[in-house]
Amino acid sequence: MQAAHLCIIQPAGQKQALAYLDPALLLRQVLRAAGVPVTLGKNRLRHDVVNFVFGAHLAIDAEALERHPCVLVNLEPLGDAAAELPPQYLKLLEYLPVVDADAANLPAYRRAADSHVPVLHLGALAHAVDATPSRPLAERPIELLLIGALTPRRTALLQRIQAQGVQVARLDAPLYGPERDELVRNARAVLLLNAGEHSRFDVLSAAAVLAAGTPVIAETVRGTPPDAVYSEAVQWLNPEHIETFFGHHFRSDRFGTEAAQALQHHARQGLRHELDALLALGQSVRQNAPPATPLSRLNADLAASGYRTGWLNVAAAAWQAPDAQLDLSTAQLADTPLQPRLGSFELIHAAPVALGTPQAAQLLGNALALLRPAGRLVLHVALPAGQTDAQAWAQQALADVSHEFWRSGGFMHRFSLTHAGGLDAAALPACGAAIRQLRLVLSKVECSLTERTQARLAREDFALPA
């Protein structure tokens, strides 16, 4: 595998997606140590290298995944927990290339004997290649760090631990990536307690903590033997022995010795075969990649929707890292990256604009030029205060688009309003007094001979070329 791209799917405003930053950084570390150049991005897929996709279940775009050389990195516990995942995601796991963090997941989606899925213990692989010396456990200021939201069960166990005089720190707010590593490296140990009676071992948290060089104390899971990679790398805690473990063993020299030995074992497990399988899968996916095809959807509303995978994303602000830097409400399309794409898009999502302004006219004219016949433009507009009939107001406000279409540069084609839906302040569907904005869908339609004659009558240049 010559190069790789790590793609973290993060829908706009979805904080949960940051949980995939930790495993993505571990994979980047492992691949770079193997000599593979790696890039990392949010929602962005590349045609020229193999893409390892994290969090695909958060915003499924099967078409985009199929049009790029992609490998799904499944970090979700399956089996009984799969009921909480979108059915479409489970379908993707059945036919797209996958690597998994837990061998226990494989029966949930791969049933054929020849359907091989590499299992990747990212924490152990990253720990093995990281030569950075960790801070001695005795010098760390945090005695014990609990990772995981408090549940009634965790609270009860935590109270028993604290009754032994152990100072337990908790994350007041979610931390990920380098900030989480910094906190973890200051803990003598990290505690993983099961959220419920039937919870599974938290593979992801354990991997990130062990890779950072911090011991893990994890509650045993009933009826489930630990993965061999973690069986000796983790200090396993039986809830029945909490008082003995934390009252005596945890603060003893023996614990420090055993924890150091467990970390050394974790880093020396000889998992080169996992990395080889990953590299082979990536190479195969890249060699069989589908040819690149022009994108037919244009996203010009990055501020609200975020970067959309499988779309051409444009914005004026460089910090949003668009595919093309321009503003459809002010740009002249000539001599821009979009000029060769005139008449090629089937769908455009535009940034909000105030109707009746020069910016709105420029946006509508540009969208009309970029869309193919029957293509659609979606935009949000604010509903003026006091307006109660959203549909009637939309028809009146768009008079220059449908009836006086030449004002926005139309001649052979114009826009027709096909939908006007009310939205509340949070952009959720609403009706009546709760409406604060409208979602308009405009379709590009061909002008009749009569309409073109009307445009020539209104235009100062008779709509004729110079």
Side-chain angles (χ1 to χ4, degrees):
M1 185 169 61
Q2 296 180 339
H5 175 68
L6 311 183
C7 172
I8 298 175
I9 302 299
Q10 181 189 345
Q14 175 60 268
K15 295 180 180 180
Q16 177 188 350
L18 277 179
Y20 301 107
L21 184 59
D22 297 297
L25 291 176
L26 292 178
L27 180 56
R28 185 177 71 172
Q29 179 181 340
V30 169
L31 290 175
R32 285 181 173 175
V36 178
V38 184
T39 57
L40 189 153
K42 180 192 299 183
N43 298 328
R44 289 155 171 79
L45 297 174
R46 293 175 54 180
H47 277 289
D48 57 331
V49 300
V50 62
N51 300 269
F52 291 94
V53 184
F54 295 77
H57 64 288
L58 296 177
I60 296 172
D61 190 336
E63 180 184 350
L65 294 172
E66 292 166 356
R67 287 193 294 101
H68 293 79
C70 289
V71 176
L72 301 183
V73 182
N74 180 57
L75 306 175
E76 307 308 308
L78 301 181
D80 294 338
E84 302 175 2
L85 295 170
Q88 304 96 310
Y89 178 66
L90 300 179
K91 288 290 185 183
L92 291 179
L93 293 177
E94 292 179 2
Y95 70 87
L96 286 181
V98 183
V99 295
D100 208 303
D102 190 347
N105 289 328
L106 304 190
Y109 61 91
R110 291 294 166 99
R111 297 177 176 84
D114 60 348
S115 185
H116 177 65
V117 175
V119 175
L120 207 60
H121 293 93
L122 287 172
L125 288 167
H127 197 183
V129 301
D130 185 5
T132 305
S134 59
R135 188 176 184 180
L137 299 182
E139 299 178 7
R140 301 187 181 190
I142 301 174
E143 187 171 22
L144 186 63
L145 175 64
L146 174 66
I147 288 182
L150 283 183
T151 63
R153 187 178 187 283
R154 281 178 175 153
T155 299
L157 295 177
L158 183 60
Q159 290 173 347
R160 290 172 58 192
I161 294 171
Q162 291 173 322
Q164 307 307 310
V166 177
Q167 300 297 314
V168 184
R170 294 193 301 108
L171 297 180
D172 293 329
L175 287 180
Y176 307 100
E179 289 72 30
R180 174 162 154 159
D181 284 349
E182 182 177 339
L183 185 65
V184 165
R185 289 192 177 101
N186 279 288
R188 188 181 179 213
V190 165
L191 177 64
L192 300 179
L193 296 175
N194 301 333
E197 291 292 339
H198 303 289
S199 299
R200 289 170 60 176
F201 173 56
D202 188 350
V203 172
L204 290 187
S205 293
V209 171
L210 291 169
T214 296
V216 170
I217 301 172
E219 182 185 351
T220 53
V221 179
R222 292 184 179 180
T224 305
D227 187 303
V229 170
Y230 298 103
S231 60
E232 296 184 38
V234 170
Q235 311 294 301
W236 296 99
L237 173 66
N238 186 327
E240 297 178 2
H241 303 153
I242 279 181
E243 285 74 16
T244 301
F245 187 96
F246 287 103
H248 305 284
H249 179 64
F250 178 62
R251 288 176 168 168
S252 68
D253 293 338
R254 180 183 171 189
F255 172 83
T257 301
E258 291 179 352
Q261 292 174 345
L263 288 172
Q264 291 174 2
H265 173 79
H266 184 250
R268 298 174 182 171
Q269 300 204 50
L271 299 177
R272 177 70 200 191
H273 65 283
E274 292 190 359
L275 178 57
D276 290 341
L278 175 73
L279 297 176
L281 177 62
Q283 183 66 18
S284 174
V285 170
R286 181 68 190 96
Q287 290 175 345
N288 296 288
T293 56
L295 299 172
S296 62
R297 296 174 293 180
L298 178 64
N299 176 29
D301 191 19
L302 267 72
S305 66
Y307 190 98
R308 294 190 175 194
T309 305
W311 296 56
L312 182 66
N313 295 265
V314 301
W319 68 267
Q320 292 179 307
D323 301 317
Q325 189 175 349
L326 57 87
D327 183 348
L328 288 184
S329 67
T330 59
Q332 300 292 331
L333 295 180
D335 301 322
T336 72
L338 294 184
Q339 198 277 333
R341 301 294 311 276
L342 296 179
S344 68
F345 291 96
E346 66 180 23
L347 179 62
I348 297 176
H349 274 217
V353 67
L355 295 179
T357 64
Q359 291 78 13
Q362 187 67 43
L363 167 65
L364 294 167
N366 285 338
L368 198 63
L370 289 167
L371 287 169
R372 64 181 61 164
R376 293 167 296 144
L377 169 67
V378 178
L379 73 159
H380 292 183
V381 297
L383 184 67
Q387 287 289 342
T388 57
D389 191 336
Q391 292 279 354
W393 177 83
Q395 291 283 1
Q396 180 180 359
L398 291 170
D400 61 335
V401 175
S402 55
H403 304 306
E404 299 181 1
F405 52 91
W406 54 86
R407 295 181 181 273
S408 296
F411 180 69
M412 296 298 297
H413 295 87
R414 63 177 177 83
F415 276 124
S416 174
L417 178 65
T418 59
H419 172 76
L423 303 174
D424 61 17
L428 297 175
C431 58
I435 295 178
R436 293 295 179 270
Q437 54 183 321
L438 293 178
R439 180 180 184 270
L440 305 179
V441 180
L442 308 176
S443 296
K444 179 177 179 177
V445 298
E446 187 174 354
C447 292
S448 67
L449 297 178
T450 300
E451 289 171 332
R452 283 156 53 185
T453 298
Q454 184 182 8
R456 291 194 193 279
L457 181 64
R459 290 269 296 263
E460 294 297 323
D461 58 1
F462 297 106
L464 293 170

